[in-house]
């Protein structure tokens, strides 16, 4: 079995798209959390399904060899790796698709890893991140960026620096990990909307990137990074407010009715700021709330129909069936 974690996008999200980094270098910060995609492989369906963990509320299904051609990701991954079929694949997760937590990128990393190992190959985290991006962007034609594959492959708090030619360097960010480990569940809360969305459809409505928009995105990413590293929930909330206002102004398809309700009453219930995680449209919201008014904020948000999702920072990237992780080429960084 191969397991890859999902992520919360912290800063620079969107600039991991080629439409941005073709204009110049960009950087993205992400944090993996304890929500996962698992992919198991076996000769028989029961064996594949039995290899999956059984998380509360977990979702699982099996792709039989005869049906592999009907599953776009499985077909594309096999073609990309030059691997034949013949196995039953079991896919499981605690989180439904369209969550905004980078699930498709995590699935791509886990899927590519299990198929490569079935073919006798062990790919590095950097190789898996690059292939995951190629799988979604080039083969399947989805307008996604590089962030999710790198976050899932490397894990923890990670900074991904992208060059105009698409090459990337992903490095661990211990300072960000420490801040997030302290704040998640206290001043930073994760909530789920009742609906999901396709990130590709949201991103398809994004405006064209010109030099001015590129410069604005870089400035916003730097401000958001500094806010999170401050560890001050009020400062983080102000950065999230500014980020969210700019995001919906540029692409109204990122907005959601519940976001407008939160904006109207946030000051009354101790909420400093928020954003929809990922491309937007629906999925999960990251809320910056006054720790002393946490319960008040939670009651207000659940009253809007949102579901509180307790998560913790997760320090690992891809894990293999025996619980080991592929070794990074260097202690704290990987490049491709």
């Amino acid at each position: 079995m191969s397991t890859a974690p999902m992520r919360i996008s912290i800063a620079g999200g969107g600039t991991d798209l080629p439409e941005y980094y073709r204009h110049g270098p960009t950087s993205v910060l992400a944090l993996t959390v304890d929500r996962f995609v698992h992919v198991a492989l076996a000769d028989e369906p029961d064996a594949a399904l039995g290899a999956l963990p059984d998380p509360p509320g977990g979702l699982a299904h099996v792709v039989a060899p005869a049906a592999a051609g009907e599953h776009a990701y499985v077909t594309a991954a096999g073609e990309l790796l030059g691997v034949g079929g013949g196995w039953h694949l079991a896919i499981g997760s605690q989180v439904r698709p369209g969550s905004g937590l980078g699930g498709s990128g995590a699935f791509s990393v886990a899927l590519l890893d299990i198929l490569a190992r079935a073919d006798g190959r062990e790919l590095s985290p950097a190789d898996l991140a690059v292939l995951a991006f190629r799988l979604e962007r080039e083969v399947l034609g989805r307008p996604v960026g590089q962030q999710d594959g790198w976050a899932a492959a490397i894990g923890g708090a990670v900074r991904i620096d992208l060059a105009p030619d698409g090459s990337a360097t992903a490095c661990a960010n211990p300072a960000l990990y420490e801040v997030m480990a302290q704040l998640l569940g206290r001043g930073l809360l994760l909530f789920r909307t009742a609906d999901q969305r396709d990130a590709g459809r949201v991103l398809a409505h994004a405006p064209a990137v010109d030099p001015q928009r590129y410069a604005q995105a870089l400035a916003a990413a730097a401000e958001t990074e500094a806010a999170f590293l401050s560890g001050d929930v009020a400062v983080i909330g102000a950065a999230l407010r500014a980020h969210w206002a700019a995001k919906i102004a540029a692409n109204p398809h990122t907005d959601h009715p519940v976001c407008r309700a939160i904006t109207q009453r946030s000051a009354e219930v101790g909420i400093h700021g928020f954003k929809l995680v990922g491309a937007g449209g629906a999925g999960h919201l990251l809320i910056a709330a006054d720790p002393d008014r946490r319960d008040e904020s939670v009651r207000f948000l659940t009253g809007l129909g949102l579901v509180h999702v307790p998560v913790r920072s997760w320090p690992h990237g891809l894990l293999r069936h025996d619980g080991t992780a592929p070794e990074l080429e260097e202690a704290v960084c990987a490049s491709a």
Side-chain angles (χ1 to χ4, degrees):
M1 183 174 71
S2 294
T3 295
M6 298 188 187
R7 60 93 187 106
I8 295 174
S9 179
I10 302 297
T15 66
D16 58 320
L17 291 158
E19 289 80 359
Y20 275 93
Y21 58 70
R22 284 172 185 156
H23 288 271
T26 65
S27 297
V28 182
L29 286 179
L31 174 80
T32 51
V33 294
D34 57 349
R35 293 294 184 273
F36 309 97
V37 178
H38 311 278
V39 182
L41 177 151
D43 293 329
E44 299 295 332
D46 289 345
L49 198 58
L52 296 179
D54 186 23
L59 307 169
H61 71 276
V62 175
V63 179
E70 302 171 9
H71 196 294
Y73 275 78
V74 174
T75 301
E79 292 176 353
L80 194 59
L81 292 170
V83 174
W87 305 287
H88 288 81
L89 286 169
I91 303 161
S93 180
Q94 309 113 302
V95 181
R96 293 182 180 276
S99 67
L101 298 179
S104 67
F107 171 54
S108 297
V109 166
L111 175 64
L112 289 161
D113 182 68
I114 198 78
L115 290 177
R117 289 196 290 121
D119 194 47
R121 289 177 281 168
E122 288 201 357
L123 301 177
S124 70
D127 288 338
L128 288 166
V130 170
L131 285 171
F133 175 64
R134 288 183 56 199
L135 171 65
E136 292 203 85
R137 181 86 186 197
E138 298 175 11
V139 181
L140 296 176
R142 303 189 71 237
V144 300
Q146 295 205 40
Q147 172 183 196
D148 298 349
W150 281 101
I154 303 298
V158 60
R159 179 190 179 96
I160 306 151
D161 294 318
L162 295 151
D165 64 359
S167 60
T169 298
C171 295
N173 191 317
L176 176 63
Y177 190 88
E178 182 178 351
V179 167
M180 295 300 292
Q182 293 175 356
L183 291 182
L184 273 180
R186 294 181 60 252
L188 292 177
L189 309 172
L190 194 68
F191 281 80
R192 184 180 72 243
T193 65
D195 50 347
Q196 290 82 40
R197 88 289 179 271
D198 183 337
R201 292 183 180 180
V202 176
L203 291 170
H205 293 280
V209 181
D210 56 23
Q212 180 181 7
R213 192 172 296 280
Y214 165 78
Q216 291 171 342
L218 259 60
E223 291 169 4
T224 306
E225 177 180 0
F228 272 89
L229 289 174
S230 76
D232 186 320
V233 175
V235 173
I236 294 170
L240 292 180
R241 282 201 313 274
H243 169 85
W244 182 245
K247 190 168 185 174
I248 60 174
N251 182 2
H253 289 269
T254 62
D255 205 0
H256 190 280
V258 76
C259 295
R260 294 189 284 275
I262 297 172
T263 299
Q264 291 173 358
R265 294 195 55 200
S266 58
E268 301 174 30
V269 293
I271 294 174
H272 296 298
F274 69 91
K275 71 168 182 174
L276 272 166
V277 179
H284 285 74
L285 293 100
L286 183 65
I287 308 286
D290 184 340
D292 294 331
R293 301 179 66 185
R294 176 188 180 280
D295 293 344
E296 184 181 357
S297 299
V298 170
R299 284 194 299 271
F300 167 70
L301 294 165
T302 54
L304 294 177
L306 297 173
V307 177
H308 184 210
V309 182
V311 293
R312 295 178 300 170
S313 303
W314 183 254
H316 308 293
L318 175 77
L319 293 175
R320 290 176 171 151
H321 67 285
D322 57 359
T324 63
E327 292 186 7
L328 297 180
E329 296 170 1
E330 299 180 23
V332 294
C333 292
S335 300

